[in-house]
Amino acid sequence: MKLRYVVLVLALCAPASATAQVWYGPQASYVNGIGPGIGARVVTELAPLLGSQDRIVSRLTGALAADYVFMEEATFFGEPVDQKYWEVNGSVAYMIPIKAAARPYAGAGLSLGKLSSSASAEVEEMLPGNTSGSMMGLNLLAGVRFPQVSVPFFLELRLSTIQFAADGSSEGEKGGIYLTGGLLFGGR
């Protein structure tokens, strides 16, 4: 059921302009101290959507990505705590103009994350603070796209202000660093 929501969100964010190039595809991530994740991404040129022919604007792309992160097993006083985390990211990136097969980019964006935890009633009473909830954060990202190969792909490093504590609460030292790679289909 969650996959249907991800597909619906990504489909609604596809540009209405037929002149904008659109790339889409699956991605895999690793979130520092939390675990691996899977998701999907849609990337589009922004210049046609903004109606601009400006040289700077023509190098801007917008991306929307959704990830489900498989959290590492957590325990609290030896009792298991089931944790789930997913997030949606929107970002704008500037494609750095170089003549090479690899296309580097840098950008910034916003994240909306949802963490949920469940445990036995005894453990729930002992857990410090609220270990479930929504979080919003800022992102800085840098990456490289390889559009000239037979299966176009990308690699990206993202720094986020969303972090977790060791107990799973929304303030702490886990998270914040994301390494993502994936395939991009579409475009010209």
Side-chain angles (χ1 to χ4, degrees), residues 2-180:
K2 290 180 185 179
L3 180 60
R4 282 190 279 184
Y5 290 121
V6 171
V7 171
L8 177 63
V9 166
L10 293 174
L12 290 174
C13 293
S17 171
T19 61
Q21 289 192 60
V22 178
W23 299 269
Y24 54 90
Q27 66 182 31
S29 301
Y30 182 78
V31 184
N32 180 48
I34 297 175
I38 58 170
R41 173 178 297 225
V42 173
V43 179
T44 187
E45 296 176 318
L46 292 180
L49 299 176
L50 300 173
S52 175
Q53 299 300 322
D54 182 71
R55 189 179 61 157
I56 300 292
V57 175
S58 70
R59 295 185 180 125
L60 293 178
T61 60
L64 181 68
D67 283 300
Y68 179 83
V69 179
F70 300 96
M71 303 216 25
E72 296 173 354
E73 185 174 314
T75 60
F76 190 74
F77 289 110
E79 294 290 324
V81 177
D82 182 33
Q83 295 182 312
K84 294 178 176 50
Y85 180 70
W86 62 264
E87 69 178 24
V88 175
N89 296 287
S91 61
V92 173
Y94 178 75
M95 302 300 291
I96 299 167
I98 63 169
K99 301 283 186 198
R103 302 275 322 272
Y105 61 89
L110 296 172
S111 290
L112 175 62
K114 173 73 173 160
L115 174 69
S116 61
S117 299
S118 62
S120 65
E122 298 84 30
V123 173
E124 288 280 346
E125 290 176 15
M126 295 186 296
L127 285 172
N130 183 6
T131 58
S132 296
S134 298
M135 296 157 275
M136 200 162 199
L138 300 174
N139 298 321
L140 288 177
L141 53 102
V144 63
R145 287 176 46 193
F146 298 90
Q148 305 300 328
V149 297
S150 59
V151 179
F153 68 98
F154 72 95
L155 297 171
E156 180 178 283
L157 176 67
R158 181 166 49 94
L159 305 176
S160 177
T161 59
I162 295 179
Q163 294 187 330
F164 303 95
D167 63 10
S169 63
S170 62
E171 298 175 3
E173 70 282 348
K174 289 186 174 186
I177 301 173
Y178 297 69
L179 182 59
T180 304

